[in-house]
Amino acid sequence: CRFVLRNIKQAEGEIWQNIKNNSMKNEQPMTGRESLELISAMIVDTRRRYHFEDGRLHLFWGYLDIAVALLVWGVAYFTQSVWVNLLWWLIPVVGIPVSRLLSRKSGSKGYALSYTDRMISSMWRYVGFLSFAFALICLLFSFGGHPQVWMLMFFYSFLVVGMGTAVVGLLLDYRSMLYGGGFSILAGAFVLTATIAESPLLEVWAMPLFIASHAAMFVIPGHLIYADTRRRAQNKTAGDA
């Protein structure tokens, strides 16, 4: 929490410094209303660049995670093999190149990145690094005869990704992401508790909660962003007419 608050304060300081620089360039002091409008515009720009304007990156990752989860669930049901967990590698193998392709097509190049942009990008790179580190640990223990350690990736998805999503929702003032991340964290706490207690509820609820948490973190916010983008585009068209 202290880290997030410190970064938010630094971001606010950067915003006010930009306001000051703009005022000096214009050689006129900015009014309070103009300052608020500039801050709002900077936040909107950050949100637009982060979501690639229409939320398609969120939708892609959300539906990819859910599709792979359903595949793992179905194959595990028919084969009863713990090695089916290797199918989870489909998420980074498919997701990373496609998301980079979407990034290049997003039209977000050419913008000067703000501190918030850099902080969010760095945070997700760190989350991605942790996913590969956790997966490598699980893979090594699997070859050592302990394939059940893949539950670690479940905890990672619920807790680490959920926390990252909640932080981004807090920084960009997206309640859907904040609530979705919170739901994932609570679902992860339930799965972790059921694992420690060796409860039969784990087999019943683990995969449905995984699917529901990724829908809450990515799919629902993605559709809301898409709907908001279309609404703003229609309003702009009507205003120009």
Side-chain angles (χ1 to χ4, degrees), residues 12-220:
E12 291 176 347
E14 182 178 288
I15 290 174
W16 285 112
Q17 184 63 39
N18 289 336
I19 293 174
K20 182 179 179 181
N21 292 338
N22 288 337
S23 298
M24 293 176 63
K25 289 180 180 178
N26 296 330
E27 297 182 353
Q28 291 181 353
M30 298 183 67
T31 64
R33 180 178 179 180
E34 291 173 338
S35 299
L36 292 176
E37 289 178 349
L38 179 58
I39 293 174
S40 299
M42 294 177 69
I43 294 176
V44 168
D45 285 342
T46 298
R47 292 170 69 172
R48 179 171 57 81
R49 290 194 296 271
Y50 178 72
H51 293 295
F52 300 157
E53 299 189 3
D54 57 5
R56 65 181 178 271
L57 189 64
H58 262 69
L59 292 173
F60 165 72
W61 279 106
Y63 283 121
L64 175 63
D65 293 345
I66 292 174
V68 173
L70 291 173
L71 177 63
V72 172
W73 200 4
V75 174
Y77 177 80
F78 288 106
T79 64
Q80 300 297 317
S81 172
V82 294
W83 292 102
V84 71
N85 288 296
L86 293 175
L87 291 173
W88 290 111
W89 282 94
L90 288 172
I91 293 178
V93 169
V94 175
I96 292 177
V98 174
S99 63
R100 289 182 176 178
L101 180 63
L102 290 174
S103 301
R104 284 194 289 266
K105 292 183 177 181
S106 66
S108 59
K109 295 182 178 180
Y111 292 96
L113 297 179
S114 67
Y115 178 79
T116 306
D117 292 318
R118 295 193 298 270
M119 183 173 65
I120 292 174
S121 178
S122 298
M123 183 196 69
W124 283 122
R125 281 198 298 268
Y126 187 68
V127 169
F129 167 77
L130 288 178
S131 70
F132 279 102
F134 281 29
L136 181 59
I137 292 173
C138 292
L139 189 62
L140 292 175
F141 274 86
S142 294
F143 289 139
H146 304 282
Q148 66 274 15
V149 297
W150 284 99
M151 280 298 299
L152 178 63
M153 295 306 299
F154 249 54
F155 303 144
Y156 160 84
S157 178
F158 282 117
L159 301 175
V160 179
V161 178
M163 181 62 70
T165 302
V167 170
V168 172
L170 180 65
L171 291 175
L172 299 185
D173 194 25
Y174 268 121
R175 291 187 178 182
S176 59
M177 295 180 63
L178 179 62
Y179 297 155
F183 174 82
S184 180
I185 295 171
L186 293 176
F190 174 85
V191 172
L192 178 60
T193 304
T195 303
I196 295 174
E198 298 181 352
S199 171
L201 292 174
L202 179 65
E203 296 182 5
V204 178
W205 286 104
M207 194 64 78
L209 284 175
F210 177 90
I211 295 172
S213 66
H214 280 73
M217 286 190 295
F218 299 110
V219 176
I220 294 177

